[in-house]
Amino acid sequence: MRTPHPLLLTLTLYLAGLGAAGQFSKLAVSFVALTQVYSGKSEAILGLAVSLISLVGLILGLVAGIVVSRIGARRALVAALALGAVMSFWQATLPSLPVLMLSRVLEGASHLLIVVAAPTLIAEAVPDRYRPAALTLWSTFFGVAFALTAVIAPWLIAQGGLSLLIGAHGVWMTVACGAILLVLPHPVITPAPATRISVLRRHMTAYATPGIATPALAWLCYTLTFVSVLTALPLLTGGTAPTWLAAIAPLVSIGVALTVGVAILSRHPAQPVVTLGFALCAGVAVAILFVGFTTATVLLLFASMALVQSAGFAVVPQINADAPSRALANGALAQMGNLGNLSGTPLLIALYQGAPVFGPFLFLITAYGGGVLVTWIVGRRAVAAMDVFVSPASRPDARHTAPACRSRD
């Protein structure tokens, strides 16, 4: 069967990504309605219901990469979407809180497999010249899903309560699953053979491999600051930030990623683009030390982070030679991303309380400086390893992918 058009393939997988992000946003955006349904329960416990997916991703991120490489990305993605649909329809019955928590753990497994399998499929099936743009689009799925949910959720809750919103997400997951079956009727990648290596040893091996460690550690440095700055914005600005800033800043990041990010990635490899993004963020952090968190510095920070966002997924296929290693890299990336999302906000707030000016600067400069070091030093080792693996004659046009990325078209 003919390979689907790259745009159709990318949009279909993006549909799955929006569903995965919706597993977070359906409860995060409607948290007030959740507290009303489960009245009498502490907000801390209900907050755990929202964040359980992150905990699952943190614990099992690399395991998901192993599963995807073992059974194949298409099979894993279809199973994950089906499981996610079932969990949403189950949650739409508004079960008891312990049952809801159990469903969120299972949903966390669904979410994790989606965010590992989908970018692996993009990297494997989309032609070289379209791959950076496709993975940049993929990198926006989380922010776009939250924005869409914020617009749609109030109307759905007004019409049929929280149950209707969660049920609608189940329909979305079902449609995405059907679309994947139609667009990708046959496996795109060959499942990896089973191995007897323990999970702990696999973690140690993976994070000692530059091609796997580089995108994961870079994503940790990115996620440490993205959500935390947005969450702590009222504190950081001393309450002077305009009300629209928290909504506009992520949109600025998405817009820059889809325009400037795509343009740069069409001419340069992703690894130095990530390094450049972190360097620009570090420069903005220095400016923040002197002038504080103003509207201008916040928008500049999120515009700079857009380069990291746009190239963060694109770097995976450029420094990992085959589908199993790409699946592991995406699993490690998901694992570190969840670690950053979980730990970033409490760390930033704690440092702010200790030193309202220098604390946030220390937090930002450590994250972004670490990002520069990881992508420049470890990333160059990964590129060097690919230089050995791929002969110069087999490399694609350097304007579209990393010099060492093997063409699979």
Side-chain angles (χ1 to χ4, degrees):
M1 186 169 181
R2 294 182 61 184
T3 302
H5 189 279
L7 179 60
L8 176 61
L9 173 66
T10 301
L11 292 179
T12 303
L13 292 170
Y14 192 69
L15 186 72
L18 293 178
Q23 292 172 317
F24 275 99
S25 63
K26 66 182 180 184
L27 295 188
V29 171
S30 61
F31 189 74
V32 173
L34 185 69
T35 60
Q36 293 171 347
V37 169
Y38 294 94
S39 58
K41 307 296 182 181
S42 73
E43 291 188 355
I45 295 296
L46 293 176
L48 180 60
V50 178
S51 64
L52 263 177
I53 289 180
S54 288
L55 290 173
V56 173
L58 173 59
I59 297 169
L60 299 177
L62 200 62
V63 174
I66 298 171
V67 170
V68 169
S69 66
R70 183 78 54 85
I71 69 175
R74 177 191 175 275
R75 187 182 301 174
L77 182 57
V78 169
L81 288 167
L83 175 61
V86 171
M87 290 302 102
S88 278
F89 290 134
W90 187 14
Q91 294 163 5
T93 65
L94 303 180
S96 64
L97 188 57
V99 174
L100 177 68
M101 292 294 194
L102 173 61
S103 73
R104 291 294 282 173
V105 172
L106 296 174
E107 195 170 28
S110 163
H111 175 88
L112 192 54
L113 286 174
I114 294 171
V115 300
V116 173
T120 302
L121 282 167
I122 292 175
E124 192 67 16
V126 173
D128 290 336
R129 65 183 182 275
Y130 299 124
R131 190 179 298 139
L135 287 169
T136 296
L137 176 64
W138 170 258
S139 73
T140 68
F141 76 94
F142 208 83
V144 170
F146 263 79
L148 289 174
T149 306
V151 172
I152 298 171
W155 182 83
L156 287 175
I157 292 174
Q159 298 301 312
L162 183 61
S163 180
L164 180 60
L165 173 63
I166 298 175
H169 178 261
V171 173
W172 185 284
M173 298 292 277
T174 302
V175 171
C177 185
I180 294 295
L181 288 171
L182 288 174
V183 174
L184 293 173
H186 300 291
V188 174
I189 62 175
T190 303
T195 62
R196 296 180 179 275
I197 300 176
S198 70
V199 172
L200 176 60
R201 186 177 173 187
R202 181 62 63 88
H203 275 75
M204 295 171 63
T205 302
Y207 284 107
T209 304
I212 295 174
T214 298
L217 295 177
W219 206 244
L220 170 63
C221 295
Y222 167 77
T223 54
L224 272 171
T225 64
F226 190 93
V227 173
S228 61
V229 170
L230 282 177
T231 303
L233 208 53
L235 282 176
L236 298 173
T237 60
T240 62
T243 56
W244 49 262
L245 184 58
I248 291 297
L251 297 180
V252 167
S253 188
I254 291 172
V256 173
L258 291 176
T259 53
V260 178
V262 170
I264 294 177
L265 287 171
S266 68
R267 295 180 176 274
H268 301 281
Q271 177 253 335
V273 174
V274 177
T275 305
L276 173 63
F278 279 125
L280 292 174
C281 288
V284 177
V286 173
I288 287 173
L289 177 63
F290 291 101
V291 302
F293 285 88
T294 65
T295 298
T297 56
V298 168
L299 293 179
L300 279 174
L301 182 63
F302 278 83
S304 300
M305 279 194 280
L307 293 184
V308 180
Q309 175 186 335
S310 61
F313 285 94
V315 76
V316 170
Q318 294 185 3
I319 60 175
N320 290 279
D322 51 43
S325 62
R326 292 171 181 178
L328 284 175
N330 283 319
L333 188 149
Q335 189 171 45
M336 290 297 99
N338 281 293
L339 176 60
N341 286 331
L342 279 173
S343 59
T345 300
L347 278 174
L348 176 56
I349 292 177
L351 287 169
Y352 169 84
Q353 291 174 338
V357 176
F358 189 74
F361 166 75
L362 179 63
F363 176 78
L364 294 178
I365 204 67
T366 300
Y368 299 141
V372 170
L373 292 177
V374 164
T375 55
W376 182 250
I377 297 175
V378 184
R380 291 183 70 182
R381 289 179 57 198
V383 171
M386 283 291 290
D387 282 338
V388 173
F389 183 85
V390 183
S391 65
S394 66
R395 295 173 190 168
D397 190 338
R399 292 176 301 172
H400 302 298
T401 56
C405 184
R406 185 203 304 258
S407 174
R408 294 181 178 266
D409 302 336

